[in-house]
């Protein structure tokens, strides 16, 4: 699988994966874009993300989105989104752990999982192109559990000191 194309551009698959991770974090954090922007300020990424609209525009490089625009996201922009994802994962880790426990733990709490999944599907319907087969798979509440669990586990692994490197390697399939 090719990660980079001509001119050091990020692959479609890497953009899709990262945007899905950010969408999962937004599903947990009801202030999603505001939190992403606040974290970008905390990480001094103002040169890459001068405002919330810039983050939104970069995320629209995901071909699964309704508002898809191929602006050829640059490596430094993609890296900045990875840094935000890692930092937000650290902040939301207790909630991610609770979600995973609600689904797989000894004391299953299906209410938490169902509410999360309901919000996730609402965000997918709102932002993604529902005509795509891959998006239809995400919308299938019975079938999307595996995708969500794998995504939550991946995000949980990236809260360590080497989290940025781990997530970057995962996204670039190293």
């Amino acid at each position: 699988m090719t990660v980079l194309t001509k001119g050091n551009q990020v692959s479609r698959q890497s953009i899709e994966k990262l945007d899905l991770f950010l969408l999962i974090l937004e599903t947990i954090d009801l202030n999603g874009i505001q939190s992403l922007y606040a974290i970008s300020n905390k990480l001094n990424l103002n040169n890459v993300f001068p405002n919330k609209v810039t983050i939104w525009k970069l995320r629209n490089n995901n071909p699964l989105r309704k508002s898809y625009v191929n602006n050829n996201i640059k490596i430094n922009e993609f890296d900045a989104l990875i840094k935000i994802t890692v930092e937000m994962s650290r902040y939301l880790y207790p909630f991610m752990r609770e979600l995973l426990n609600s689904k797989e733990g000894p004391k299953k709490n299906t209410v938490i999982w169902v509410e999360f999944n309901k919000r996730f599907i609402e965000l997918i319907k709102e932002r993604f192109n529902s005509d795509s087969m891959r998006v239809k798979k995400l919308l299938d509440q019975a079938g999307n559990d595996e995708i969500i669990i794998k995504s939550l586990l991946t995000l949980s692994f990236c809260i360590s000191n080497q989290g940025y490197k781990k997530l970057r390697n995962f996204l670039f399939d190293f």
Side-chain angles (χ1 to χ4, degrees), residues 67 89-90 92 112 116 126 129 138 141 143 171:
S67 54
S89 296
R90 287 180 181 137
L92 294 176
I112 293 171
F116 171 83
E126 177 184 310
N129 177 3
L138 291 171
Q141 199 162 13
L171 291 169

Side-chain angles (χ1 to χ4, degrees), residues 48-121:
V48 181
F49 306 121
N51 54 50
K52 292 180 259 188
V53 175
T54 309
I55 297 171
W56 174 77
K57 283 181 179 179
L58 287 175
R59 292 183 64 195
N60 282 328
N61 280 284
N62 179 354
L64 299 179
R65 284 191 170 255
K66 285 180 181 177
S67 54
Y68 169 64
V69 179
N70 188 4
N71 288 330
N72 297 324
I73 189 169
K74 295 174 187 73
I75 294 293
N76 70 318
E77 296 168 331
F78 192 73
D79 282 342
L81 284 174
I82 293 172
K83 290 174 184 174
I84 290 173
T85 304
V86 167
E87 191 62 31
M88 192 148 175
S89 296
R90 287 180 181 137
Y91 173 72
L92 294 176
Y93 176 71
F95 302 101
M96 292 188 297
R97 200 172 91 202
E98 184 178 346
L99 271 168
L100 288 168
N101 280 335
S102 75
K103 181 66 178 161
E104 301 292 328
K107 296 181 180 179
K108 289 183 181 180
N109 183 349
T110 55
V111 173
I112 293 171
W113 185 262
V114 169
E115 286 301 313
F116 171 83
N117 205 313
K118 181 180 169 188
R119 176 157 161 71
F120 177 73
I121 287 173

